[in-house]
């Protein structure tokens, strides 16, 4: 609803801890490193932090394969470090949300170990373990990380379901003790003072009873078979309400769901303020121009970004609240997708900042986005660390592609583009580590890094800071209505308005070609991404004006 809430006014910042700041030279970012950078976040204007997983994990999927939910990953630090981080954030008035990965656990989690050791015992039903023959998996579902979604355990003569890597075993949410265990764990973290969660692939938790075969036609279209049997499963709403009632509501905790494939209508069903399920969801339709998948080497059309966002501004309605994002740790950098020509890099970076920080909804900024990061220069399969990329590469080779062609696919879509070390300054490895980074970056940090950009009033960083402050000083940018006033090809202009404040108008040229735009009469300029000039809008030019009452 239009009722105020801290999470509606927040500006979130996603930290991928492994790549944020290393404090001890082992090449891996850690919690003390994050603590050292809290002033940086505060300076930028951030009011809430989402931490990608920091739990004990064998790191088959970089922490999204959890071995112990109540222990900190040794490379990242200790529970005492965590408490200091929480206190450091709260002392600065910032909220902390954690990543909640409960669609699956690591195969090294004690629950799974116990399930394997005694399949008919108390943990046997925690997962999807099925008897069978080693050459015939229980159904045709495929994994998001290549191959069948079923792993054969020869010793037990059992199949186990994994939608992601074979070391990420899916939990069986239809078994009540699983839901008890999850609520218990969530309450433990909430009692420890965290303010909420980002819920990993939370729309996948409810597999349709009986695990029906996927439609091969849908599988062909999507590239994955079986998705329609669990991406919006029969009992999904029930499970979310239970989590809300037993954990989130009693703790006044915030929740944002990661919900691939959901779209606007199902987003409403998951987040309506009258439904008591989630507060917000990430709708991934924003990430690719229709007809494309992440691995395609193509130009993302910013006219699509406009259409997608304008649709939400117009039709999401007052009982729902949008999570605004354009990047995260699972996707290449948006600037590179929109136009990789370096002459437009800064203008596009600032244009994206204008869009994300002046629309209705809650912005989530991914680390490095505020510096205008672009895709990394990888040269060799050995430069990649991500299990998804490495599997994809081998899948392509097995299908007969050349090494060069397979590498090109990775360069277009690899998640590692988002996971290179955060560039802090001009020292080696951008000051991320004094050692060797776990994932090599390139030389980009020499020009684009936090230290240099903070000192430059015309940098991308300074744009983010300015626009964040502008949003925080102008409630109309948070709660106001959005009226689209220009939607010609390559143009976008909208006015944010409410009853109590002067309206604010945004004008954007979505293309590299000059564009004639109509400047509002009597408007006072609040921001522009080019130095002052008369005439048509330059490539990717964006401006913000305050309008007379
Ligand atoms: O569904 C997909 C493809 O259509 C995937 O992109 C999927 O949405 C995505 O990989 C889910 O991401 C989350 O869960 C994964 C983890 O690897 C990601 O890092 C995480 O963000 C498994 O936990
Ligand atoms: Ca470290």
């Amino acid at each position: 609803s239009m009722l105020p809430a801290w999470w509606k006014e927040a500006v979130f910042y996603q930290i991928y801890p492994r790549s944020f700041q290393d404090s001890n030279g082992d090449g891996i970012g850690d919690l003390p490193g994050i603590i050292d950078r809290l002033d940086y976040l505060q300076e930028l204007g951030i009011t809430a932090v989402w931490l990608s997983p920091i739990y004990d994990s064998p790191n088959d999927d970089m922490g999204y394969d959890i071995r112990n939910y109540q222990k900190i990953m040794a490379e990242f630090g200790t529970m005492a470090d965590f408490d200091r981080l929480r206190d450091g954030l709260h002392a600065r008035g910032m909220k902390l949300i954690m990543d909640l990965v409960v669609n699956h656990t690591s195969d090294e989690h004690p629950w799974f170990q116990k399930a394997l050791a005694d399949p008919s015992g108390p943990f046997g039903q925690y997962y999807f373990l099925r008897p069978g023959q080693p050459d015939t998996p229980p159904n045709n579902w495929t994994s998001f990380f290549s191959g069948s979604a079923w792993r054969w355990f020869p010793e037990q003569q059992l199949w186990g379901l994994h939608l992601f890597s074979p070391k990420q075993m899916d939990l069986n949410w239809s078994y009540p003790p699983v839901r008890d265990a999850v609520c218990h764990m969530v309450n433990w973290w909430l009692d420890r003072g965290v303010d909420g969660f980002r819920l990993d692939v939370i729309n996948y938790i409810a597999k349709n009873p009986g695990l029906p075969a996927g439609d091969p036609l849908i599988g062909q279209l999507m590239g994955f078979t079986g998705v329609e049997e669990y991406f919006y499963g029969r009992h999904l709403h029930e499970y979310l309400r239970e989590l809300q009632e037993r954990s989130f509501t009693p703790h006044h905790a915030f929740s944002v769901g990661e919900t691939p494939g959901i779209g606007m209508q199902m987003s409403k069903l998951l987040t309506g303020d009258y439904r008591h399920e989630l507060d917000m969801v990430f709708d991934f339709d924003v990430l690719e121009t229709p007809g494309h998948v992440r691995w395609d080497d193509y130009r993302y059309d910013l006219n699509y970004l406009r259409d997608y966002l304008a649709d939400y501004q117009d039709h999401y309605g007052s009982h729902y609240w949008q999570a605004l994002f354009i990047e995260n740790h699972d996707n290449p950098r948006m600037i590179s997708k929109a136009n990789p020509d370096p002459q437009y890099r800064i203008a596009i970076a600032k244009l994206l900042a204008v869009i994300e920080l002046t629309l209705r909804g809650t912005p989530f900024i991914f680390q490095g986005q505020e510096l205008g990061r672009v895709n990394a220069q990888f040269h060799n399969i050995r430069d990649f660390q991500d299990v998804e990329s490495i599997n994809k590469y081998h899948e392509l080779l097995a299908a007969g592609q050349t090494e060069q062609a397979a590498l090109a696919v990775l360069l277009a879509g690899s998640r590692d583009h988002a996971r290179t070390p955060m560039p802090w300054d001009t020292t080696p490895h951008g000051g991320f580590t004094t050692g060797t980074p776990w994932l090599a970056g390139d030389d980009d940090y020499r020009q684009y890094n936090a230290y240099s950009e903070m000192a430059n009033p015309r940098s991308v960083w300074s744009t983010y800071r300015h626009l964040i402050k502008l949003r925080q000083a102008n409630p109309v940018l948070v709660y106001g209505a959005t009226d689209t006033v220009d939607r010609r090809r390559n143009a976008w202009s909208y006015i944010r308005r409410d009853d109590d404040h002067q309206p604010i108008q945004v004008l954007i040229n979505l293309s590299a070609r000059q564009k004639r735009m109509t400047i509002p009469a009597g408007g006072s300029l609040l921001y522009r991404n080019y130095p002052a000039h008369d005439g048509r809008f330059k490539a990717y030019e964006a401006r913000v004006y305050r309008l007379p009452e």
Side-chain angles (χ1 to χ4, degrees):
S1 77
M2 296 313 293
L3 286 177
W6 71 259
W7 49 268
K8 294 180 182 171
E9 293 165 25
V11 177
F12 272 87
Y13 188 91
Q14 181 192 354
I15 292 179
Y16 193 70
R18 204 173 187 80
S19 305
F20 195 60
Q21 176 70 70
D22 176 22
S23 72
N24 62 354
D26 67 355
I28 297 173
D30 46 50
L31 301 188
I34 298 173
I35 293 168
D36 288 344
R37 296 301 185 182
L38 292 181
D39 288 337
Y40 168 83
L41 297 178
Q42 191 171 34
E43 179 70 17
L44 182 58
I46 299 304
T47 61
V49 165
W50 152 27
L51 281 185
S52 271
I54 58 168
Y55 317 94
D56 176 48
S57 163
N59 287 307
D60 189 57
D61 186 21
M62 297 306 158
Y64 283 90
D65 49 321
I66 296 170
R67 184 165 47 201
N68 185 339
Y69 288 103
Q70 280 148 286
K71 193 175 162 215
I72 303 298
M73 191 189 300
E75 303 94 300
F76 287 180
T78 63
M79 198 55 83
D81 293 327
F82 171 81
D83 289 343
R84 279 200 300 134
L85 172 56
R86 174 204 60 202
D87 293 347
L89 284 163
H90 287 164
R92 290 168 178 80
M94 291 188 248
K95 305 283 187 185
L96 168 61
I97 72 165
M98 305 277 281
D99 217 307
L100 183 62
V101 189
V102 287
N103 174 70
H104 44 264
T105 72
S106 167
D107 62 347
E108 298 180 30
H109 193 289
W111 297 339
F112 189 73
Q113 292 297 312
K114 289 178 195 168
L116 266 193
D118 182 8
S120 54
F123 290 89
Q125 290 186 67
Y126 262 57
Y127 299 86
F128 296 95
L129 292 172
R130 297 285 181 274
Q133 298 301 315
D135 48 355
T136 332
N139 68 22
N140 64 352
W141 295 5
T142 55
S143 156
F144 291 106
F145 296 164
S146 302
S148 167
W150 293 92
R151 169 174 166 192
W152 177 247
F153 293 92
E155 227 176 283
Q156 293 76 14
Q157 297 279 299
L158 289 171
W159 289 100
L161 179 70
H162 62 91
L163 297 183
F164 294 91
S165 103
K167 284 181 65 64
Q168 292 167 295
M169 305 309 298
D170 280 62
L171 283 166
N172 174 12
W173 276 68
S174 75
Y175 186 54
V178 165
R179 307 202 296 275
D180 293 344
V182 168
C183 288
H184 182 266
M185 177 271 286
V186 168
N187 288 337
W188 186 88
W189 278 106
L190 289 170
D191 289 338
R192 209 170 183 101
V194 311
D195 301 291
F197 293 94
R198 172 267 191 191
L199 293 85
D200 191 64
V201 286
I202 198 65
N203 59 316
Y204 291 1
I205 57 175
K207 280 76 177 169
N208 280 340
L211 312 181
D215 182 332
L217 211 60
I218 299 177
Q220 218 178 346
L221 279 167
M222 310 243 329
F224 308 102
T225 304
V227 182
E228 73 277 15
E229 296 297 344
Y230 58 76
F231 91 106
Y232 188 66
R234 205 163 305 159
H235 296 287
L236 178 60
H237 292 292
E238 217 174 289
Y239 299 157
L240 291 178
R241 280 174 194 208
E242 184 174 340
L243 198 53
Q244 180 63 246
E245 193 178 306
R246 296 174 68 180
S247 296
F248 299 156
T249 299
H251 288 90
H252 309 287
F254 162 75
S255 58
V256 55
E258 193 225 16
T259 53
I262 280 296
M264 192 199 292
Q265 297 311 324
M266 289 180 194
S267 293
K268 289 186 180 182
L269 295 172
L270 294 169
T271 63
D273 57 7
Y274 49 91
R275 291 185 61 90
H276 311 293
E277 296 183 25
L278 300 169
D279 291 320
M280 292 193 275
V281 291
F282 294 118
D283 171 4
F284 289 97
D285 290 354
V286 66
L287 290 175
E288 316 295 342
T289 306
H292 288 287
V293 296
R294 170 153 53 87
W295 302 108
D296 295 346
D297 189 3
Y298 76 102
R299 278 277 185 91
Y300 182 100
D301 183 356
L302 292 174
N303 285 278
Y304 170 74
L305 182 66
R306 174 199 63 197
D307 291 346
Y308 169 90
L309 289 168
D311 191 28
Y312 262 88
Q313 300 292 303
D314 290 349
H315 299 122
Y316 209 33
S318 55
H319 292 279
Y320 317 89
W321 194 260
Q322 186 177 12
L324 297 163
F325 76 105
I326 41 183
E327 294 187 350
N328 63 26
H329 65 295
D330 289 334
N331 287 278
R333 295 288 183 174
M334 187 52 96
I335 298 168
S336 301
K337 287 172 64 159
N339 191 338
D341 185 338
Q343 66 173 308
Y344 302 125
R345 172 176 179 169
I346 292 182
I348 297 174
K350 294 175 176 174
L351 170 153
L352 293 172
V354 167
I355 291 174
E356 197 176 340
L357 292 165
T358 62
L359 284 173
R360 184 156 159 233
T362 298
F364 286 77
I365 298 165
F366 177 62
Q367 69 181 45
Q369 191 184 323
E370 80 278 22
L371 304 176
R373 293 282 289 162
V374 295
N375 284 351
Q377 308 281 318
F378 298 121
H379 300 288
N380 194 288
I381 181 63
R382 284 188 302 277
D383 296 339
F384 294 86
Q385 293 288 341
D386 182 21
V387 59
E388 183 199 47
S389 293
I390 294 165
N391 289 1
K392 181 80 183 173
Y393 183 79
H394 293 295
E395 182 185 280
L396 291 167
L397 292 191
Q401 299 246 25
T402 64
E403 291 185 2
Q404 207 186 349
L407 193 64
V409 172
L410 265 52
L411 285 174
S414 177
R415 307 193 297 183
D416 279 338
H417 284 304
R419 301 175 181 187
T420 53
M422 175 78 175
W424 293 104
D425 54 39
T426 54
T427 62
H429 308 300
F432 164 71
T433 182
T434 55
T436 305
W438 71 277
L439 171 68
D442 51 32
D443 283 351
D444 196 68
Y445 69 83
R446 292 180 205 271
Q447 198 179 345
Y448 296 95
N449 61 73
Y451 182 86
S452 308
E453 294 195 36
M454 288 171 81
N456 174 3
R458 282 192 301 279
S459 67
V460 175
W461 189 90
S462 295
T463 287
Y464 269 90
R465 180 168 192 276
H466 179 77
L467 293 172
I468 291 170
K469 302 281 175 206
L470 189 71
R471 184 180 182 86
Q472 289 164 344
N474 290 281
V476 68
L477 287 177
V478 177
Y479 293 110
T482 307
D483 294 340
T484 302
V485 293
D486 186 353
R487 261 182 105 151
R488 291 167 300 148
R489 171 130 193 99
N490 295 331
W492 191 13
S493 180
Y494 48 89
I495 300 175
R496 304 295 314 279
R497 52 170 107 244
D498 62 22
D499 293 339
D500 305 322
H501 307 93
Q502 284 174 264
I504 291 179
Q505 182 168 0
V506 175
L507 297 100
I508 302 171
N509 173 8
L510 298 166
S511 75
R513 296 173 56 180
Q514 292 195 2
K515 189 85 191 165
R516 196 192 314 271
M517 301 288 289
T518 308
I519 306 302
S524 64
L525 190 70
L526 296 172
Y527 175 76
R528 67 193 304 163
N529 66 347
Y530 276 95
H533 68 90
D534 296 320
R536 298 176 176 203
F537 269 41
K538 294 177 185 290
Y540 303 107
E541 180 160 353
R543 297 188 203 169
V544 184
Y545 290 90
R546 193 188 307 283
L547 304 184
E549 217 120 11

